[in-house]
Amino acid sequence: MTESSLSVEGTDKMKWFAFSIICAVLQISYQNPRKHWTLLPNILVLEVDGTLGEQNLLCMESPQELIVSANQSQEIFWKKNGIEQAQRGNSYRVQLEESLGGGNYTCHSEDGSLLNHTIVLIKEDESKRRKILVKTDEDYLKCTAQNYNGEFHCSWTWHSSRSGRVAFVSAHRLPDLNTKCSVDTSGEWTCSSGHGNFSCTVNDNRISCLDKQHCPYAEESKQICVTVFVLSQHFLLEEYFKRFYLSDIVKPDKVEIAQVNTTVIQWSYPSSWSSPYSYFPLTFQIAQLKNGCEGCDSPCSNYEALTVHSTDTQFKVKHRAKAVCVRAKDAFSFSQWSEWSHKRLRNHRKKRNKHKNK
């Protein structure tokens, strides 16, 4: 073998090696989504990590449709968010870059008739900064229950500069990976599994759910997991979830205060609280105010409160008390206190003294 032929062979190997490196780099930098899954019929979620990628969509998939597609594939055209695209045929390549690529993709026959549609949602890596909801009190979802009847509510705060809506809701008892959720025409979500049957309704920044299989007299052995998927106007999907027992989030409604006489007040359990009260007792706190504090935003917050564990709901107030505040919490859990109830006292003693002086 001549020296010149060896040189040519070596050059060819170097070119092939360089070409392989370039192909490998292109393959690494231009990847498909890390994961894709169906949220609801015709709604596809693509999980991305910010690198370049693409996802293939099909207009017609069934065998019968594919026979028609083989003859008409060149006549099929696509639209993204109502705008016609250059790509033609039964398949469409969605280009992904960072959080871009989401949209409403529709395919049409040559005469413009709608053949199929796919809504593509982009879900960024969990390490990315959340963009749709705002964290308050170290959490995104705040959940409360008025009692132990199985109903609870979760609320959140939308980001002021972003327009969002709820795309999907899930509620189930842990551990249960086979929960199936669906939504009807009225907007009510139903989630069924072997450990529970939940129904949820959505109202802007709040969901209300009911565990239809919950027994308030039995000890909870499984936590509830609530998941809310929210969607931005740019087809960005974010997932938020919270796990809890009802005893963790129960918060009684405000108690009602009545004045028995000049020195005694009494209060009643909230009408929404679980009964019998002997099985679901409440602990109360009482604050006595030396002035009525008319017009105060929170007249009860700056006074020392006395905790009462007794089932007796009557209390003798101090002689100089002008007003009282009472709140309640579940006696057996480390849950939240109710909001304060405030009542200004009628002091008949002063009126009688005035009449005596006359």
Side-chain angles (χ1 to χ4, degrees), residues 279-293:
Y279 193 85
F280 300 98
L282 292 174
T283 294
F284 300 92
Q285 280 191 339
I286 304 167
Q288 303 181 61
L289 285 61
K290 294 182 180 179
N291 55 68
C293 195

Side-chain angles (χ1 to χ4, degrees), residues 141-148 150-154 220 224 226 242-252 273 330 333-337:
L141 298 181
K142 181 179 181 181
C143 300
T144 59
Q146 295 173 304
N147 49 48
Y148 285 102
E151 184 176 1
F152 58 89
H153 313 276
C154 297
E220 283 184 285
I224 295 173
V226 174
K242 193 173 184 68
R243 300 173 180 175
F244 54 82
Y245 295 102
L246 288 178
S247 57
D248 297 330
I249 65 168
V250 69
K251 179 181 178 180
W273 186 246
D330 179 23
S333 68
F334 297 99
S335 55
Q336 301 179 72
W337 287 96

